[in-house]
């Protein structure tokens, strides 16, 4: 979204989105600590890696001992801390039997409702029926919400009719072939590559 990375151009041997490597376009700082650390890792990685591998590395989902230096540490905690600093979440300690556990409930319900409304509108009032005409951030948000399995919660407050329409449109969108959609517009191919990676795992 910030124009710092892109997928290598397709070749005869590497046509599929998941076979192509993530390349650095610019390592200029984004202003976000996690994103800047990620750019540093992408720049330092030799040979370059695929979208699937970067998702595994950046989420800590890989146990490859040769790639440990590229893993981001404590990603969930750092994201939660960032959201606490922005006033969206708060930090609480909860006691579960013998253990104290840190939780991060939502405090800024206005921001949460804004995102929920944006997702609902994108598949109802502002539905374009063509992912290439959809706002890139909205498309990315829908892909991530689907992959995180939170769309049912997002649509749960809708009437039954609207819920069915929203779920069916989202299902139609995420069941499109990422390989085909990724070739239609270079600006969205990374989003489709991420969806292909999530569909694979």
């Amino acid at each position: 979204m910030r124009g710092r990375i892109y997928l290598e151009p397709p070749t005869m041997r590497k046509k599929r989105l998941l076979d192509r490597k993530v390349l650095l376009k610019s390592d200029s700082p984004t202003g976000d600590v996690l994103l800047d650390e990620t750019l540093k890792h992408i720049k330092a990685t030799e040979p370059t890696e695929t979208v699937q591998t970067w998702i595994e590395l950046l989420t800590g989902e890989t146990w490859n001992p040769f790639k440990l230096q590229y893993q981001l540490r404590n990603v969930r905690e750092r994201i939660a801390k960032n959201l606490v600093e922005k006033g969206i979440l708060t930090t609480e300690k909860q006691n579960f039997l013998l253990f104290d556990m840190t939780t991060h409930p939502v405090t800024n319900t206005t921001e949460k409702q804004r995102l929920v409304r944006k997702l609902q509108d994108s598949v109802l009032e502002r539905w374009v029926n063509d992912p290439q005409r959809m706002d890139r951030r909205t498309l990315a948000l829908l892909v991530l919400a689907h992959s995180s399995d939170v769309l049912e919660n997002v649509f749960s407050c809708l009437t039954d009719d609207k819920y069915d329409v929203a779920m069916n449109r989202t299902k139609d969108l995420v069941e499109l072939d990422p390989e085909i959609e990724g070739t239609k517009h270079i600006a969205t191919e990374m989003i489709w590559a991420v969806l292909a990676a999530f569909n694979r795992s």
Side-chain angles (χ1 to χ4, degrees):
M1 296 296 174
R2 297 184 188 208
R4 303 301 197 284
I5 58 174
Y6 65 100
L7 284 180
E8 69 180 337
T11 63
M12 289 303 286
R13 291 185 326 133
K14 293 183 180 179
K15 288 183 181 177
R16 293 182 50 238
L17 292 171
L18 293 182
D19 293 336
R20 294 160 53 197
K21 307 291 184 170
V22 175
L23 303 177
L24 190 68
K25 188 184 290 186
S26 166
D27 65 347
S28 61
T30 64
D32 182 288
V33 175
L34 283 172
L35 293 179
D36 291 342
E37 191 175 329
T38 300
L39 287 175
K40 186 175 125 188
H41 287 317
I42 291 172
K43 183 178 182 180
T45 305
E46 192 57 47
T48 54
E49 297 291 352
T50 63
V51 170
Q52 179 86 40
T53 303
W54 277 116
I55 289 172
E56 292 167 359
L57 289 170
L58 300 176
T59 58
E61 298 290 321
T62 185
W63 292 97
N64 185 340
F66 301 108
K67 303 288 183 182
L68 290 178
Q69 73 268 24
Y70 299 118
Q71 282 189 333
L72 290 184
R73 305 285 185 247
N74 306 316
V75 175
R76 289 177 195 252
E77 293 83 0
R78 291 167 70 186
I79 291 172
K81 182 180 178 214
N82 191 344
L83 292 172
V84 167
E85 289 171 359
K86 291 179 179 177
I88 295 170
L89 302 179
T90 188
T91 303
E92 292 180 358
K93 294 274 188 198
Q94 290 191 349
N95 191 318
F96 292 100
L97 300 175
L98 301 173
F99 304 99
D100 283 338
M101 189 170 174
T102 304
T103 61
H104 299 285
V106 174
T107 55
N108 186 340
T109 56
T110 306
E111 188 63 26
K112 179 183 174 183
Q113 287 305 317
R114 185 186 70 76
L115 278 176
V116 166
R117 189 74 197 140
K118 181 175 183 169
L119 282 170
Q120 290 172 348
D121 285 349
S122 70
V123 294
L124 294 171
E125 284 80 26
R126 297 174 187 240
W127 181 245
V128 292
N129 203 26
D130 178 6
Q132 302 310 320
R133 290 183 25 233
M134 189 177 283
D135 172 63
R136 284 185 325 146
R137 288 187 179 278
T138 303
L139 177 61
L141 191 57
L142 280 167
V143 165
L144 292 175
H146 162 73
S147 300
S148 303
D149 208 20
V150 297
L151 279 177
E152 282 191 33
N153 292 342
V154 168
F155 300 145
S156 64
C157 62
L158 297 172
T159 63
D160 288 347
D161 290 347
K162 286 187 175 185
Y163 175 87
D164 290 341
V165 169
M167 287 302 286
N168 287 332
R169 286 178 175 171
T170 304
K171 181 176 176 262
D172 291 345
L173 177 71
V174 298
E175 287 182 354
L176 290 170
D177 184 346
E179 296 297 334
I180 294 171
E181 297 304 317
T183 62
K184 291 181 181 177
H185 198 289
I186 195 161
T188 60
E189 74 177 348
M190 187 67 76
I191 298 169
W192 292 108
V194 169
L195 178 61
F198 281 128
N199 286 346
R200 188 179 199 183
S201 56

